[in-house]
Protein backbone atom coordinates (compact mmCIF):
# COMPACT_ATOMS: atom_id res chain seq x y z
CA UNK A 1 0.00 0.00 0.00
CA UNK A 2 1.51 3.35 -1.02
CA UNK A 3 1.83 6.38 1.25
CA UNK A 4 -1.23 8.10 -0.21
CA UNK A 5 -3.45 5.10 0.45
CA UNK A 6 -2.02 4.77 3.95
CA UNK A 7 -2.81 8.43 4.68
CA UNK A 8 -6.29 8.01 3.24
CA UNK A 9 -6.96 4.93 5.36
CA UNK A 10 -5.70 6.60 8.54
CA UNK A 11 -7.86 9.63 7.83
CA UNK A 12 -11.01 7.59 7.24
CA UNK A 13 -10.38 5.59 10.41
CA UNK A 14 -10.00 8.80 12.46
CA UNK A 15 -13.19 10.18 10.94
CA UNK A 16 -15.28 7.10 11.62
CA UNK A 17 -16.13 8.65 14.98
CA UNK A 18 -17.75 11.53 13.08
CA UNK A 19 -19.86 9.55 10.63
CA UNK A 20 -23.24 7.88 10.81
CA UNK A 21 -24.20 6.44 7.41
CA UNK A 22 -27.76 7.30 6.45
CA UNK A 23 -29.95 6.87 3.42
CA UNK A 24 -30.49 10.60 2.93
CA UNK A 25 -27.98 12.95 4.58
CA UNK A 26 -28.82 16.61 5.16
CA UNK A 27 -26.49 19.53 4.51
CA UNK A 28 -26.19 22.09 7.31
CA UNK A 29 -27.13 25.69 6.54
CA UNK A 30 -24.34 28.13 7.41
CA UNK A 31 -25.40 31.24 9.40
CA UNK A 32 -24.44 34.62 7.97
CA UNK A 33 -21.37 36.02 9.75
CA UNK A 34 -19.83 39.45 9.30
CA UNK A 35 -16.11 39.07 8.59
CA UNK A 36 -14.43 42.02 10.26
CA UNK A 37 -10.99 43.58 9.87
CA UNK A 38 -8.71 42.79 12.84
CA UNK A 39 -7.31 45.76 14.76
CA UNK A 40 -3.54 46.02 14.75
CA UNK A 41 -2.12 46.50 18.24
CA UNK A 42 -0.01 49.69 18.26
CA UNK A 43 3.66 49.19 19.05
CA UNK A 44 3.32 51.92 21.71
CA UNK A 45 0.45 50.20 23.52
CA UNK A 46 1.35 48.69 26.90
CA UNK A 47 -0.30 45.36 26.07
CA UNK A 48 0.50 42.22 28.04
CA UNK A 49 1.60 39.03 26.29
CA UNK A 50 -1.21 36.51 25.84
CA UNK A 51 -1.58 32.95 24.63
CA UNK A 52 -4.29 30.33 24.17
CA UNK A 53 -4.10 28.33 27.38
CA UNK A 54 -7.43 26.48 27.61
CA UNK A 55 -9.64 24.83 24.99
CA UNK A 56 -13.00 23.23 25.72
CA UNK A 57 -15.58 21.75 23.39
CA UNK A 58 -19.29 21.42 23.97
CA UNK A 59 -21.06 18.35 22.68
CA UNK A 60 -24.72 19.22 23.15
CA UNK A 61 -25.04 18.69 19.38
CA UNK A 62 -23.80 15.11 19.72
CA UNK A 63 -27.19 13.51 19.08
CA UNK A 64 -27.84 15.72 16.06
CA UNK A 65 -25.78 15.85 12.86
CA UNK A 66 -23.76 19.01 12.34
CA UNK A 67 -23.57 18.62 8.55
CA UNK A 68 -22.81 16.28 5.71
CA UNK A 69 -19.73 14.43 4.50
CA UNK A 70 -19.47 13.74 0.79
CA UNK A 71 -16.89 11.76 -1.13
CA UNK A 72 -15.50 11.44 -4.62
CA UNK A 73 -14.89 13.78 -7.52
CA UNK A 74 -18.55 14.74 -7.74
CA UNK A 75 -19.11 14.81 -3.94
CA UNK A 76 -21.52 11.91 -3.63
CA UNK A 77 -21.81 8.97 -1.16
CA UNK A 78 -23.31 11.12 1.55
CA UNK A 79 -23.06 10.56 5.31
CA UNK A 80 -23.95 12.67 8.34
CA UNK A 81 -21.19 14.29 10.41
CA UNK A 82 -21.51 14.27 14.20
CA UNK A 83 -19.64 16.45 16.71
CA UNK A 84 -18.48 14.03 19.40
CA UNK A 85 -15.75 13.92 22.02
CA UNK A 86 -13.93 11.14 20.19
CA UNK A 87 -14.19 12.63 16.72
CA UNK A 88 -13.79 16.38 17.34
CA UNK A 89 -10.00 16.18 17.30
CA UNK A 90 -10.17 14.99 13.68
CA UNK A 91 -12.32 17.97 12.65
CA UNK A 92 -10.53 20.65 14.69
CA UNK A 93 -7.22 19.48 16.15
CA UNK A 94 -6.04 21.14 19.36
CA UNK A 95 -2.56 21.75 17.97
CA UNK A 96 -4.00 23.52 14.93
CA UNK A 97 -6.10 25.82 17.15
CA UNK A 98 -3.08 26.72 19.29
CA UNK A 99 -0.91 27.45 16.25
CA UNK A 100 -3.54 29.49 14.42
CA UNK A 101 -4.39 31.61 17.46
CA UNK A 102 -0.72 32.42 18.01
CA UNK A 103 -0.21 33.16 14.31
CA UNK A 104 -3.11 35.63 14.17
CA UNK A 105 -1.90 37.46 17.29
CA UNK A 106 1.63 37.70 15.93
CA UNK A 107 0.42 38.86 12.52
CA UNK A 108 -1.54 41.75 14.05
CA UNK A 109 1.08 43.05 16.48
CA UNK A 110 -0.09 41.44 19.73
CA UNK A 111 2.77 40.58 22.11
CA UNK A 112 3.41 36.89 22.76
CA UNK A 113 5.19 35.20 25.66
CA UNK A 114 8.85 34.55 24.99
CA UNK A 115 10.24 31.04 24.54
CA UNK A 116 10.87 29.04 27.67
CA UNK A 117 14.65 28.82 27.66
CA UNK A 118 16.98 27.78 30.46
CA UNK A 119 18.57 30.88 32.01
CA UNK A 120 22.30 31.41 31.62
CA UNK A 121 22.57 32.30 35.31
CA UNK A 122 20.38 31.27 38.23
CA UNK A 123 19.64 34.52 40.01
CA UNK A 124 17.72 34.96 43.20
CA UNK A 125 14.16 35.88 42.22
CA UNK A 126 12.88 39.33 43.09
CA UNK A 127 9.59 38.93 44.96
CA UNK A 128 8.44 42.30 43.65
CA UNK A 129 8.83 41.27 40.03
CA UNK A 130 6.07 39.09 38.57
CA UNK A 131 7.14 36.00 36.67
CA UNK A 132 6.56 35.74 32.95
CA UNK A 133 3.65 33.40 33.67
CA UNK A 134 2.06 36.01 35.93
CA UNK A 135 2.62 38.79 33.38
CA UNK A 136 1.11 36.81 30.52
CA UNK A 137 -2.64 36.71 30.10
CA UNK A 138 -4.21 33.31 29.54
CA UNK A 139 -6.92 33.09 26.89
CA UNK A 140 -9.49 30.33 26.95
CA UNK A 141 -11.98 29.34 24.28
CA UNK A 142 -15.08 27.16 24.33
CA UNK A 143 -16.07 25.73 20.93
CA UNK A 144 -19.78 26.10 21.57
CA UNK A 145 -21.23 25.25 18.16
CA UNK A 146 -19.94 23.65 14.96
CA UNK A 147 -21.63 23.28 11.57
CA UNK A 148 -19.80 21.89 8.57
CA UNK A 149 -20.35 20.29 5.17
CA UNK A 150 -17.27 18.56 3.78
CA UNK A 151 -16.28 16.79 0.59
CA UNK A 152 -13.21 14.55 0.43
CA UNK A 153 -12.25 14.63 -3.25
CA UNK A 154 -8.95 12.79 -3.13
CA UNK A 155 -6.57 11.23 -0.69
CA UNK A 156 -6.28 14.52 1.24
CA UNK A 157 -8.09 17.12 -0.87
CA UNK A 158 -11.10 18.95 0.61
CA UNK A 159 -13.82 21.37 -0.31
CA UNK A 160 -16.72 22.52 1.83
CA UNK A 161 -17.84 25.06 4.40
CA UNK A 162 -17.86 25.47 8.17
CA UNK A 163 -19.26 27.69 10.91
CA UNK A 164 -18.03 28.05 14.51
CA UNK A 165 -19.37 29.87 17.54
CA UNK A 166 -16.52 30.61 19.96
CA UNK A 167 -16.85 31.79 23.57
CA UNK A 168 -13.71 33.56 24.81
CA UNK A 169 -12.35 34.40 28.24
CA UNK A 170 -9.18 36.26 29.28
CA UNK A 171 -7.71 35.24 32.63
CA UNK A 172 -5.13 37.31 34.55
CA UNK A 173 -3.00 34.98 36.74
CA UNK A 174 -1.75 37.85 38.91
CA UNK A 175 -5.35 38.76 39.76
CA UNK A 176 -6.67 35.18 39.74
CA UNK A 177 -9.77 36.29 37.88
CA UNK A 178 -11.34 36.44 34.44
CA UNK A 179 -11.07 40.04 33.24
CA UNK A 180 -12.87 39.75 29.91
CA UNK A 181 -15.52 37.62 28.19
CA UNK A 182 -16.94 37.77 24.68
CA UNK A 183 -18.24 35.67 21.79
CA UNK A 184 -17.05 35.58 18.19
CA UNK A 185 -18.14 33.64 15.13
CA UNK A 186 -16.24 32.32 12.15
CA UNK A 187 -17.38 31.03 8.79
CA UNK A 188 -15.39 29.73 5.82
CA UNK A 189 -16.37 28.35 2.42
CA UNK A 190 -14.33 26.74 -0.33
CA UNK A 191 -16.64 25.08 -2.85
CA UNK A 192 -14.39 25.33 -5.91
CA UNK A 193 -10.74 25.32 -4.87
CA UNK A 194 -9.63 22.30 -2.87
CA UNK A 195 -7.57 22.56 0.32
CA UNK A 196 -4.99 19.93 1.16
CA UNK A 197 -4.71 18.32 4.57
CA UNK A 198 -4.71 14.98 6.34
CA UNK A 199 -7.43 16.45 8.56
CA UNK A 200 -10.15 18.57 6.92
CA UNK A 201 -8.76 22.16 7.01
CA UNK A 202 -12.15 23.78 6.37
CA UNK A 203 -13.14 23.90 10.05
CA UNK A 204 -9.69 25.20 11.03
CA UNK A 205 -10.09 28.02 8.49
CA UNK A 206 -13.41 28.96 10.11
CA UNK A 207 -11.60 29.01 13.47
CA UNK A 208 -9.04 31.47 12.06
CA UNK A 209 -11.87 33.74 10.91
CA UNK A 210 -13.35 33.54 14.42
CA UNK A 211 -9.99 34.58 15.90
CA UNK A 212 -9.73 37.52 13.49
CA UNK A 213 -13.25 38.62 14.42
CA UNK A 214 -12.13 38.51 18.07
CA UNK A 215 -9.17 40.75 17.22
CA UNK A 216 -11.56 43.17 15.50
CA UNK A 217 -13.27 43.84 18.84
CA UNK A 218 -11.67 46.92 20.49
CA UNK A 219 -12.86 45.69 23.88
CA UNK A 220 -10.59 42.64 23.53
CA UNK A 221 -7.59 44.79 22.63
CA UNK A 222 -8.32 46.98 25.64
CA UNK A 223 -8.62 43.95 27.92
CA UNK A 224 -4.98 43.12 27.14
CA UNK A 225 -3.79 46.55 28.18
CA UNK A 226 -6.47 48.31 30.28
CA UNK A 227 -4.78 49.48 33.45
CA UNK A 228 -8.09 50.27 35.17
CA UNK A 229 -9.07 46.60 35.31
CA UNK A 230 -5.68 45.44 36.55
CA UNK A 231 -5.69 48.17 39.17
CA UNK A 232 -9.09 47.10 40.43
CA UNK A 233 -7.67 43.81 41.63
CA UNK A 234 -4.35 45.23 42.84
CA UNK A 235 -5.65 47.86 45.25
CA UNK A 236 -8.51 48.51 47.61
CA UNK A 237 -11.43 50.40 46.14
CA UNK A 238 -11.04 53.35 48.50
CA UNK A 239 -7.99 54.61 50.39
CA UNK A 240 -8.16 57.36 52.97
CA UNK A 241 -5.24 59.34 54.43
CA UNK A 242 -3.20 57.54 57.09
CA UNK A 243 -4.60 59.90 59.72
CA UNK A 244 -8.15 58.67 59.01
CA UNK A 245 -9.28 55.08 59.59
CA UNK A 246 -10.56 53.21 56.58
CA UNK A 247 -14.32 52.84 56.56
CA UNK A 248 -15.75 49.31 56.54
CA UNK A 249 -17.33 48.15 53.33
CA UNK A 250 -21.07 47.90 53.08
CA UNK A 251 -22.59 44.45 52.55
CA UNK A 252 -22.01 43.43 48.95
CA UNK A 253 -19.46 46.20 48.30
CA UNK A 254 -16.22 45.31 46.57
CA UNK A 255 -13.73 46.30 43.93
CA UNK A 256 -15.65 45.14 40.88
CA UNK A 257 -15.96 47.09 37.70
CA UNK A 258 -19.53 48.18 37.80
CA UNK A 259 -22.94 48.17 39.43
CA UNK A 260 -24.24 49.84 42.55
CA UNK A 261 -23.27 46.89 44.72
CA UNK A 262 -19.63 47.30 43.70
CA UNK A 263 -19.35 51.01 44.38
CA UNK A 264 -16.81 51.71 47.12
CA UNK A 265 -17.71 53.70 50.20
CA UNK A 266 -16.02 57.07 49.60
CA UNK A 267 -14.41 59.19 52.27
CA UNK A 268 -15.97 62.44 53.45
CA UNK A 269 -17.05 64.80 50.68
CA UNK A 270 -14.26 67.01 49.37
CA UNK A 271 -15.33 70.53 48.40
CA UNK A 272 -13.74 71.84 45.19
CA UNK A 273 -14.09 75.49 44.22
CA UNK A 274 -14.68 75.02 40.54
CA UNK A 275 -13.73 77.93 38.33
CA UNK A 276 -15.84 78.79 35.30
CA UNK A 277 -14.42 78.51 31.81
CA UNK A 278 -12.06 81.36 31.01
CA UNK A 279 -13.94 82.05 27.77
CA UNK A 280 -17.23 80.12 27.57
CA UNK A 281 -17.77 79.04 23.99
CA UNK A 282 -14.36 80.44 23.08
CA UNK A 283 -11.44 79.01 21.15
CA UNK A 284 -8.82 76.68 22.60
CA UNK A 285 -6.00 78.78 21.14
CA UNK A 286 -6.99 81.66 23.43
CA UNK A 287 -6.89 79.69 26.69
CA UNK A 288 -4.27 77.00 26.12
CA UNK A 289 -1.52 79.05 27.77
CA UNK A 290 -3.44 79.19 31.05
CA UNK A 291 -4.53 75.57 30.87
CA UNK A 292 -1.00 74.23 30.43
CA UNK A 293 0.06 75.73 33.75
CA UNK A 294 -2.40 73.50 35.60
CA UNK A 295 -1.27 70.19 34.01
CA UNK A 296 1.58 68.30 35.69
CA UNK A 297 3.73 65.24 35.15
CA UNK A 298 3.18 62.68 37.93
CA UNK A 299 6.44 60.92 38.81
CA UNK A 300 6.47 57.56 40.58
CA UNK A 301 8.99 54.75 40.89
CA UNK A 302 9.95 53.69 37.38
CA UNK A 303 7.09 55.38 35.51
CA UNK A 304 5.29 58.63 34.90
CA UNK A 305 1.84 59.86 34.01
CA UNK A 306 -0.19 63.04 33.99
CA UNK A 307 -2.40 64.91 36.45
CA UNK A 308 -4.18 68.26 36.57
CA UNK A 309 -5.17 70.77 39.22
CA UNK A 310 -8.78 71.32 40.22
CA UNK A 311 -9.80 74.04 42.67
CA UNK A 312 -7.29 76.48 44.13
CA UNK A 313 -6.27 74.51 47.23
CA UNK A 314 -3.82 72.14 45.54
CA UNK A 315 -6.17 69.26 44.63
CA UNK A 316 -5.17 67.11 41.63
CA UNK A 317 -6.90 64.42 39.57
CA UNK A 318 -5.07 61.53 37.89
CA UNK A 319 -5.44 57.77 37.33
CA UNK A 320 -5.08 55.16 40.03
CA UNK A 321 -2.82 53.13 37.74
CA UNK A 322 -0.48 56.14 37.50
CA UNK A 323 0.06 56.38 41.27
CA UNK A 324 -0.23 52.64 41.93
CA UNK A 325 -0.26 51.83 45.64
CA UNK A 326 1.94 54.80 46.61
CA UNK A 327 0.77 57.10 49.38
CA UNK A 328 2.93 59.96 48.07
CA UNK A 329 4.39 60.91 44.68
CA UNK A 330 6.14 63.86 43.07
CA UNK A 331 4.53 66.17 40.54
CA UNK A 332 6.46 68.39 38.16
CA UNK A 333 4.92 71.60 36.87
CA UNK A 334 5.57 72.72 33.28
CA UNK A 335 8.20 75.22 34.44
CA UNK A 336 10.21 72.46 36.12
CA UNK A 337 9.18 73.08 39.76
CA UNK A 338 8.55 69.87 41.70
CA UNK A 339 6.14 69.43 44.60
CA UNK A 340 5.42 66.43 46.83
CA UNK A 341 1.85 65.17 46.54
CA UNK A 342 -0.15 62.97 48.89
CA UNK A 343 -2.41 60.34 47.39
CA UNK A 344 -5.51 60.96 49.50
CA UNK A 345 -8.13 58.87 47.77
CA UNK A 346 -8.38 56.39 44.90
CA UNK A 347 -11.11 54.39 43.27
CA UNK A 348 -9.31 51.53 41.55
CA UNK A 349 -12.38 50.17 39.75
CA UNK A 350 -12.97 53.54 38.10
CA UNK A 351 -9.18 54.12 37.87
CA UNK A 352 -9.19 57.63 39.35
CA UNK A 353 -7.05 59.20 42.07
CA UNK A 354 -7.24 62.38 44.14
CA UNK A 355 -3.92 63.97 45.09
CA UNK A 356 -3.00 67.03 47.17
CA UNK A 357 -0.05 69.42 47.08
CA UNK A 358 0.48 72.81 48.59
CA UNK A 359 -1.39 75.51 46.60
CA UNK A 360 0.77 75.83 43.48
CA UNK A 361 -0.25 79.36 42.50
CA UNK A 362 -1.49 78.31 39.04
CA UNK A 363 -4.96 78.57 37.57
CA UNK A 364 -6.79 75.24 38.06
CA UNK A 365 -8.69 73.69 35.20
CA UNK A 366 -12.46 74.32 35.04
CA UNK A 367 -14.67 71.23 35.21
CA UNK A 368 -17.73 70.38 33.10
CA UNK A 369 -19.97 67.58 34.35
CA UNK A 370 -22.21 67.09 31.30
CA UNK A 371 -20.81 64.99 28.49
CA UNK A 372 -19.90 66.61 25.16
CA UNK A 373 -22.01 65.75 22.14
CA UNK A 374 -20.97 63.35 19.40
CA UNK A 375 -18.77 65.12 16.89
CA UNK A 376 -17.86 67.89 19.33
CA UNK A 377 -14.22 69.01 19.28
CA UNK A 378 -12.15 67.73 22.19
CA UNK A 379 -8.52 68.20 23.18
CA UNK A 380 -6.11 66.09 25.26
CA UNK A 381 -3.32 67.55 27.39
CA UNK A 382 -0.67 65.29 28.83
CA UNK A 383 2.93 64.17 29.18
CA UNK A 384 3.27 61.40 26.58
CA UNK A 385 6.49 59.42 26.87
CA UNK A 386 7.54 61.34 29.98
CA UNK A 387 8.19 64.89 31.12
CA UNK A 388 10.18 65.80 28.00
CA UNK A 389 6.89 66.20 26.13
CA UNK A 390 4.82 67.64 28.98
CA UNK A 391 1.60 69.54 28.21
CA UNK A 392 1.41 68.16 24.67
CA UNK A 393 -1.90 69.23 23.12
CA UNK A 394 -3.75 67.06 20.59
CA UNK A 395 -7.14 67.54 18.97
CA UNK A 396 -9.97 65.23 17.88
CA UNK A 397 -13.70 64.74 18.16
CA UNK A 398 -15.91 62.78 20.51
CA UNK A 399 -16.48 59.54 18.59
CA UNK A 400 -18.89 57.81 20.96
CA UNK A 401 -19.80 56.75 24.48
CA UNK A 402 -19.03 53.08 25.13
CA UNK A 403 -19.75 50.54 27.86
CA UNK A 404 -16.63 48.41 28.42
CA UNK A 405 -16.13 45.98 31.30
CA UNK A 406 -19.22 47.41 32.97
CA UNK A 407 -17.91 50.99 32.90
CA UNK A 408 -18.84 53.94 30.70
CA UNK A 409 -16.08 55.57 28.66
CA UNK A 410 -15.84 58.46 26.24
CA UNK A 411 -14.28 57.42 22.93
CA UNK A 412 -12.30 59.84 20.79
CA UNK A 413 -9.77 59.87 17.97
CA UNK A 414 -7.69 62.49 19.81
CA UNK A 415 -4.11 61.17 19.89
CA UNK A 416 -2.63 59.90 23.16
CA UNK A 417 0.45 57.84 24.07
CA UNK A 418 1.79 56.10 27.19
CA UNK A 419 2.33 58.83 29.79
CA UNK A 420 -0.83 60.68 28.78
CA UNK A 421 -2.82 58.66 31.33
CA UNK A 422 -4.41 60.84 34.00
CA UNK A 423 -4.44 63.94 31.81
CA UNK A 424 -7.52 66.02 31.03
CA UNK A 425 -9.81 65.71 28.03
CA UNK A 426 -11.06 69.24 27.29
CA UNK A 427 -13.84 70.86 25.32
CA UNK A 428 -13.13 73.84 23.06
CA UNK A 429 -13.63 76.26 25.99
CA UNK A 430 -10.94 74.50 28.02
CA UNK A 431 -13.29 72.74 30.44
CA UNK A 432 -12.38 69.22 31.56
CA UNK A 433 -14.92 66.64 30.37
CA UNK A 434 -12.89 63.45 30.89
CA UNK A 435 -9.66 61.83 32.10
CA UNK A 436 -7.35 59.91 29.78
CA UNK A 437 -7.16 56.21 30.63
CA UNK A 438 -6.34 53.96 27.63
CA UNK A 439 -5.54 54.30 23.96
CA UNK A 440 -5.41 52.30 20.76
CA UNK A 441 -5.32 55.22 18.35
CA UNK A 442 -2.67 54.15 15.88
CA UNK A 443 -2.11 51.92 12.82
CA UNK A 444 -5.70 51.51 11.73
CA UNK A 445 -7.26 52.08 15.14
CA UNK A 446 -8.26 55.73 14.78
CA UNK A 447 -11.00 56.65 17.22
CA UNK A 448 -10.05 53.92 19.68
CA UNK A 449 -8.86 56.07 22.61
CA UNK A 450 -10.82 56.08 25.84
CA UNK A 451 -11.48 58.54 28.64
CA UNK A 452 -13.23 58.40 32.01
CA UNK A 453 -16.25 60.76 32.03
CA UNK A 454 -15.51 63.54 34.50
CA UNK A 455 -18.90 63.25 36.21
CA UNK A 456 -18.16 59.59 36.96
CA UNK A 457 -14.78 60.45 38.53
CA UNK A 458 -16.35 63.23 40.63
CA UNK A 459 -19.03 60.85 41.89
CA UNK A 460 -16.70 57.97 42.71
CA UNK A 461 -14.23 60.22 44.58
CA UNK A 462 -17.10 62.02 46.36
CA UNK A 463 -16.17 65.51 45.23
CA UNK A 464 -18.59 68.40 45.66
CA UNK A 465 -18.09 71.17 43.13
CA UNK A 466 -18.73 74.66 44.42
CA UNK A 467 -19.32 76.70 41.31
CA UNK A 468 -17.66 80.09 41.47
CA UNK A 469 -19.41 82.86 39.52
CA UNK A 470 -17.54 84.23 36.53
CA UNK A 471 -15.72 87.53 36.94
CA UNK A 472 -17.56 90.57 35.58
Amino acid sequence: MNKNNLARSALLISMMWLLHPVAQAQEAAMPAVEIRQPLVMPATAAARPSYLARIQRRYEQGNQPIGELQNGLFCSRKSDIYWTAKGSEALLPTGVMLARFRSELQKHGYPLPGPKEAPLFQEKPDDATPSQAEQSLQVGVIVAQVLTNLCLKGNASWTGEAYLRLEWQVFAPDQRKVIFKTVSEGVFQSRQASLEGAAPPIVAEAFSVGVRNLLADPAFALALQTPYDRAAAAANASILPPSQPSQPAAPGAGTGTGGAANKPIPGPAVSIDNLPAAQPGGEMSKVIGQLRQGVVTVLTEGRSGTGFYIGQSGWLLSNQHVVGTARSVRVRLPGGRELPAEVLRVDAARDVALLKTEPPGVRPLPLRLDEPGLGEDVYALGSPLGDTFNTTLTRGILSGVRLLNGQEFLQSDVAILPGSSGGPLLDRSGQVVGITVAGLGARGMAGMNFFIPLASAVERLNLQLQQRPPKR
Side-chain angles (χ1 to χ4, degrees):
M1 186 178 292
N2 61 35
K3 291 183 178 180
N4 287 339
N5 289 333
L6 282 171
R8 179 183 174 88
S9 298
L11 175 61
L12 290 176
I13 291 171
S14 68
M15 293 196 66
M16 284 177 63
W17 297 109
L18 301 169
L19 307 181
H20 287 206
V22 295
Q24 188 66 41
Q26 183 72 34
E27 280 198 351
M30 300 294 111
V33 174
E34 178 186 2
I35 300 178
R36 304 166 62 192
Q37 181 65 33
L39 300 175
V40 177
M41 181 66 72
T44 56
R48 299 171 70 178
S50 59
Y51 65 100
L52 187 57
R54 298 285 180 89
I55 297 173
Q56 291 184 6
R57 300 170 173 90
R58 289 186 183 152
Y59 301 107
E60 287 86 347
Q61 301 167 263
N63 59 350
Q64 296 292 329
I66 63 170
E68 180 182 85
L69 178 69
Q70 303 163 357
N71 197 3
L73 183 61
F74 299 104
C75 295
S76 56
R77 306 178 196 172
K78 300 174 181 177
S79 299
D80 282 335
I81 302 175
Y82 285 78
W83 180 247
T84 65
K86 292 184 177 180
S88 60
E89 189 68 20
L91 273 181
L92 189 58
T94 298
V96 171
M97 296 172 71
L98 294 172
R100 293 203 175 211
F101 184 83
R102 182 179 178 90
S103 174
E104 292 296 339
L105 259 63
Q106 188 172 33
K107 189 186 306 181
H108 295 96
Y110 287 75
L112 300 169
K116 294 181 180 179
E117 298 177 352
L120 186 59
F121 299 101
Q122 290 290 340
E123 298 182 358
K124 182 180 179 180
D126 184 353
D127 292 337
T129 303
S131 66
Q132 184 186 79
E134 291 175 324
Q135 292 175 340
S136 298
L137 296 172
Q138 299 176 9
V139 180
V141 63
I142 299 173
V143 183
Q145 185 181 5
V146 182
L147 298 172
T148 186
N149 300 308
L150 301 172
C151 177
L152 178 59
K153 289 195 168 186
N155 291 325
S157 181
W158 300 87
T159 60
E161 57 189 353
Y163 162 85
L164 294 177
R165 176 181 169 86
L166 305 169
E167 298 177 1
W168 301 94
Q169 297 183 12
V170 178
F171 178 80
D174 55 337
Q175 301 178 31
R176 294 189 177 91
K177 73 169 188 175
V178 173
I179 62 172
F180 179 76
K181 294 181 180 180
T182 193
V183 174
S184 74
E185 297 175 295
V187 68
F188 180 81
Q189 184 180 70
S190 179
R191 286 293 194 180
Q192 302 300 324
S194 297
L195 300 182
E196 301 296 321
I202 307 297
V203 184
E205 292 293 337
F207 177 77
S208 293
V209 174
V211 175
R212 291 195 290 272
N213 279 347
L214 171 69
L215 301 189
D217 183 354
F220 173 74
L222 283 170
L224 303 191
Q225 65 168 311
T226 43
Y228 49 83
D229 203 19
R230 295 201 298 272
N236 292 325
S238 182
I239 298 176
L240 300 179
S243 60
Q244 299 178 347
S246 297
Q247 303 185 32
T255 59
T257 57
N262 288 326
K263 287 187 177 181
I265 298 176
V270 175
S271 180
I272 304 294
D273 53 334
N274 185 36
L275 296 180
Q279 290 188 344
E283 293 294 334
M284 175 60 65
S285 60
K286 297 179 180 179
V287 296
I288 183 59
Q290 290 183 355
L291 297 173
R292 277 188 165 138
Q293 298 307 309
V295 179
V296 303
T297 303
V298 179
L299 304 170
T300 60
E301 291 296 329
R303 61 180 186 270
S304 68
T306 306
F308 57 95
Y309 278 104
I310 60 173
Q312 298 190 97
S313 301
W315 297 104
L316 286 155
L317 288 181
S318 186
N319 289 140
Q320 190 278 337
H321 80 264
V322 170
V323 300
T325 57
R327 288 299 183 98
S328 62
V329 297
R330 293 178 298 128
V331 300
R332 183 175 296 156
L333 279 69
R337 179 163 61 115
E338 287 192 11
L339 296 173
E342 282 189 89
V343 181
L344 295 185
R345 188 172 298 167
V346 301
D347 184 324
R350 183 71 275 196
D351 198 6
V352 289
L354 182 68
L355 289 67
K356 184 82 161 55
T357 70
E358 66 181 53
V362 300
R363 191 180 196 279
L365 275 62
L367 308 179
R368 170 183 165 184
L369 295 181
D370 63 301
E371 294 178 357
L374 293 181
E376 186 173 330
D377 286 345
V378 289
Y379 302 78
L381 263 177
S383 301
L385 307 179
D387 187 60
T388 303
F389 301 100
N390 65 51
T391 65
T392 294
L393 179 71
T394 54
R395 177 183 177 181
I397 63 169
L398 186 74
S399 307
V401 180
R402 309 298 182 193
L403 190 67
L404 302 172
N405 292 340
Q407 300 274 26
E408 185 178 278
F409 292 88
L410 305 179
Q411 177 190 339
S412 175
D413 61 350
V414 64
I416 60 173
L417 287 170
S420 300
S421 293
L425 182 71
L426 308 162
D427 65 12
R428 62 183 299 178
S429 299
Q431 298 177 105
V432 181
V433 295
I435 303 173
T436 301
V437 68
L440 298 174
R443 295 169 63 187
M445 289 186 172
M448 295 301 172
N449 297 321
F450 294 88
F451 305 81
I452 301 163
L454 182 71
S456 176
V458 167
E459 176 190 3
R460 297 300 289 265
L461 293 172
N462 199 11
L463 308 182
Q464 290 186 353
L465 304 188
Q466 306 296 326
Q467 302 290 346
R468 294 182 56 183
K471 293 182 179 179
R472 297 187 181 277

